[in-house]
Amino acid sequence: MASKLLKKIHSRAQLDRAWRAIRSNARDSESEDVRNEVKKFSQDESRHIGSLVQRLSRKKFKFEAAKGVPIPKQGSDGKKSKDKFRPIVLAPLESRIVQRSILESLTTHPAFSKYVNSPHSFGGLRRQKDQKLSAVPAAIEATLVAIQNGARYVASADISAFFTRISKSSVRAIVSEAVGDEEFMALFDEAIKVELANLASLHEKAKAFPIENIGVAQGNSLSPLLGNIILYEFDIAMNEGDCRCVRYIDDFIILAPTYQAASSRMRKAKKILSELGMALSPEKSSKTPVSIRDRFEFLGVELNNGLIRPNSKSRSRLFTQIDKALDTSIKAFRQFKGGYDLPKTQSLVDTLKRLDGVVQGWGKHYRFCNDRVLLRKFDDDIKAKIRAYLGTYTDIRNDLPGDKQQQLLGVEQLENLGGTPFEWPTIID
């Protein structure tokens, strides 16, 4: 008979919740393969979830080989790096659903409360019912509280290649001791194992993927929790005494009353991480502490002696997305004018809807920022871009015949919808 923990993972209700979370995340995925996979599953989701329940309960489920995807990192100039990349592991959809179900079982398990509800770690876990803020806003609020409580110097850091440096065996030992369920651990082991179907085609890049004992998959929903587990003692040690350390997965900031205290705490961080086989990224970590009265950044946010706003890289990313959406649509308009078909997704209505999604998503992410002047300027800049886009649309529309003008707008014409008209029967008197 399956253990109580496994029964929870196998349950229809929990697998349904896991599927909904995966489906929601897929809406924002840049991968067409991911979106298509989710779309196909959605067409008969009840049957697919039922099949998962049956195979899991009978111990017939198998985690199929994943795909290794090297995602180029973005340099300080905003361009994609040719050498540096993130080794993302994309597991098949069913595997991701089961991993998500395992995650929910662990995060609601009493033994994992200290890892899930740590006051020092803010990344990778969903907001609890009694929390007003979570993720980046909660981390920034904690930073401001530390300043309010006397911190006068800060030093920020990034753990280099964090997920690829986590020891699977070390994490497994902690999880096993907490749950005391070897039947569950057999499924857990399979869930965090990394087997790549495209290992040969990755060539030299294959070395960066966590296929051995060291490293967990970046892309596995369990990985942020495993990161919190392995750094639990680090968080406690870094928050002893008069210093505070706010961590968001592999990024952290030290807040201290003096320059010397901040420097000492950074040395302590390096020592603890070294013992875990980890190191700081030289490019993304502070060389020396800075005063809170100077400008400093944390999690894509610029804090500048009273002003809280998105940093320059985040601001640039917003307008890159806006320009891409508008420029792609204009290119499609011009091709349509030249005789090519117009994808519905590039019509005026769909493009503006997509643009609204970009603006809303970015704005909600930084809703805690207080630089209203900057936001008003951005609104003016966005209006100008939309105005120019509508001008180009009008010019092209005016050169098109009436039937094509409606297609450019994105409203379908009735006579183009097809169908098979009924024929009136022949009547012989």
Side-chain angles (χ1 to χ4, degrees):
M1 182 178 290
S3 68
K4 185 177 180 181
L5 191 55
L6 278 181
K7 283 183 178 180
K8 189 175 181 182
I9 294 167
H10 301 173
S11 73
R12 178 74 186 231
Q14 185 153 298
L15 287 168
D16 273 333
R17 286 194 296 273
W19 154 240
R20 288 196 296 271
I22 297 294
R23 182 180 60 191
S24 177
N25 292 337
R27 293 191 188 115
D28 299 323
S29 174
E30 295 183 3
S31 169
E32 187 176 354
D33 290 342
V34 169
R35 296 195 302 271
N36 288 338
E37 188 181 26
V38 167
K39 183 178 180 181
K40 184 177 180 181
F41 193 94
S42 299
Q43 291 170 354
D44 199 358
E45 60 184 59
S46 179
R47 181 177 66 82
H48 290 311
I49 295 296
S51 173
L52 268 180
V53 172
Q54 292 296 320
R55 281 177 285 150
L56 283 165
S57 60
R58 295 173 182 174
K59 298 184 180 179
K60 299 291 186 182
F61 177 79
K62 177 177 172 55
F63 288 94
E64 300 294 342
K67 180 181 179 182
V69 185
I71 304 294
K73 289 186 177 181
Q74 197 175 63
S76 55
D77 57 359
K79 295 181 180 179
K80 293 181 179 179
S81 171
K82 294 181 180 180
D83 306 315
K84 298 180 180 180
F85 62 91
R86 289 184 178 83
I88 303 298
V89 176
L90 181 60
L93 179 59
E94 286 192 339
S95 296
R96 301 202 302 276
I97 293 172
V98 176
Q99 289 165 348
R100 186 81 189 195
S101 184
I102 294 171
L103 174 66
E104 181 161 335
S105 293
L106 290 179
T107 54
T108 55
H109 194 290
F112 286 85
S113 177
K114 63 182 182 181
Y115 304 118
V116 176
N117 300 313
S118 167
H120 315 304
S121 173
F122 298 88
L125 298 173
R126 66 185 182 186
R127 181 172 61 188
Q128 301 301 305
K129 289 182 179 179
D130 58 344
Q131 284 181 297
K132 293 182 179 179
L133 296 174
S134 64
V136 173
I140 297 299
E141 181 185 51
T143 301
L144 297 174
V145 168
I147 293 172
Q148 178 69 40
N149 290 340
R152 294 297 176 262
Y153 284 86
V154 302
S156 57
D158 174 89
I159 303 173
S160 181
F162 174 56
F163 288 112
T164 65
R165 304 310 306 161
I166 296 174
S167 166
K168 290 187 183 76
S169 57
S170 296
V171 172
R172 187 199 189 280
I174 296 171
V175 174
S176 180
E177 184 179 357
V179 300
D181 185 339
E182 283 306 311
E183 197 176 6
F184 162 79
M185 290 308 300
L187 181 66
F188 177 82
D189 288 341
E190 291 300 310
I192 66 172
K193 184 188 296 183
V194 178
E195 181 183 349
L196 299 180
N198 64 329
L199 191 62
S201 64
L202 290 168
H203 303 296
E204 286 297 311
K205 292 180 179 178
K207 297 177 182 177
F209 287 84
I211 55 178
E212 304 296 340
N213 174 56
I214 300 299
V216 296
Q218 190 171 353
N220 186 330
S221 58
L222 284 162
S223 293
L225 174 61
L226 304 188
N228 276 350
I229 291 172
I230 205 71
L231 290 182
Y232 176 72
E233 297 296 338
F234 169 87
D235 290 336
I236 292 177
M238 291 294 290
N239 281 278
E240 292 173 342
D242 56 2
C243 293
R244 289 292 167 264
C245 177
V246 178
R247 183 175 62 81
Y248 188 95
I249 304 182
D250 55 353
D251 289 296
F252 63 88
I253 188 168
I254 295 167
L255 300 115
T258 65
Y259 180 97
Q260 291 76 12
S263 299
S264 175
R265 195 55 55 105
M266 183 62 85
R267 289 193 295 272
K268 185 174 185 176
K270 291 177 181 178
K271 182 177 183 298
I272 297 173
L273 292 172
S274 177
E275 293 168 355
L276 292 171
M278 301 177 185
L280 299 183
S281 168
E283 302 89 1
K284 298 180 180 179
S285 303
S286 301
K287 292 181 174 59
T288 57
V290 299
S291 167
I292 60 164
R293 298 191 184 282
D294 296 328
R295 185 183 68 83
F296 64 95
E297 295 183 4
F298 183 46
L299 302 177
V301 179
E302 178 186 307
L303 298 101
N304 193 349
N305 198 24
L307 285 177
I308 305 167
R309 57 193 176 196
N311 68 5
S312 59
K313 189 175 180 179
S314 300
R315 301 196 294 261
S316 175
R317 187 162 53 243
L318 169 65
F319 284 100
T320 296
Q321 288 182 282
I322 290 173
D323 289 340
K324 181 180 179 181
L326 298 180
D327 292 346
T328 302
S329 177
I330 287 172
K331 181 179 178 181
F333 286 173
R334 288 176 175 146
Q335 290 176 335
F336 182 58
K337 180 181 176 181
Y340 290 89
D341 290 336
L342 176 71
K344 187 75 177 288
T345 55
Q346 300 306 326
S347 67
L348 180 81
V349 171
D350 278 36
T351 298
L352 292 180
K353 185 177 180 181
R354 187 162 56 254
L355 179 64
D356 178 56
V358 169
V359 173
Q360 283 205 47
W362 190 89
K364 288 177 181 177
H365 183 77
Y366 293 107
R367 62 191 179 279
F368 55 86
C369 292
N370 66 4
D371 191 347
R372 313 311 295 179
V373 174
L374 178 71
L375 295 182
R376 281 195 292 271
K377 179 184 182 304
F378 277 16
D379 280 336
D380 289 340
D381 292 342
I382 294 169
K383 287 175 189 175
K385 288 179 179 294
I386 293 174
R387 194 179 303 116
Y389 170 73
L390 292 176
T392 303
Y393 158 79
T394 301
D395 291 341
I396 294 174
R397 182 201 63 192
N398 291 341
D399 288 337
L400 293 172
D403 58 334
K404 285 196 169 186
Q405 290 182 1
Q406 191 167 314
Q407 286 180 259
L408 198 68
L409 181 64
V411 178
E412 194 57 74
Q413 288 184 281
L414 295 176
E415 65 176 348
N416 291 337
L417 293 178
T420 306
F422 288 140
E423 292 185 7
W424 186 261
T426 302
I427 300 175
I428 303 175
D429 293 328

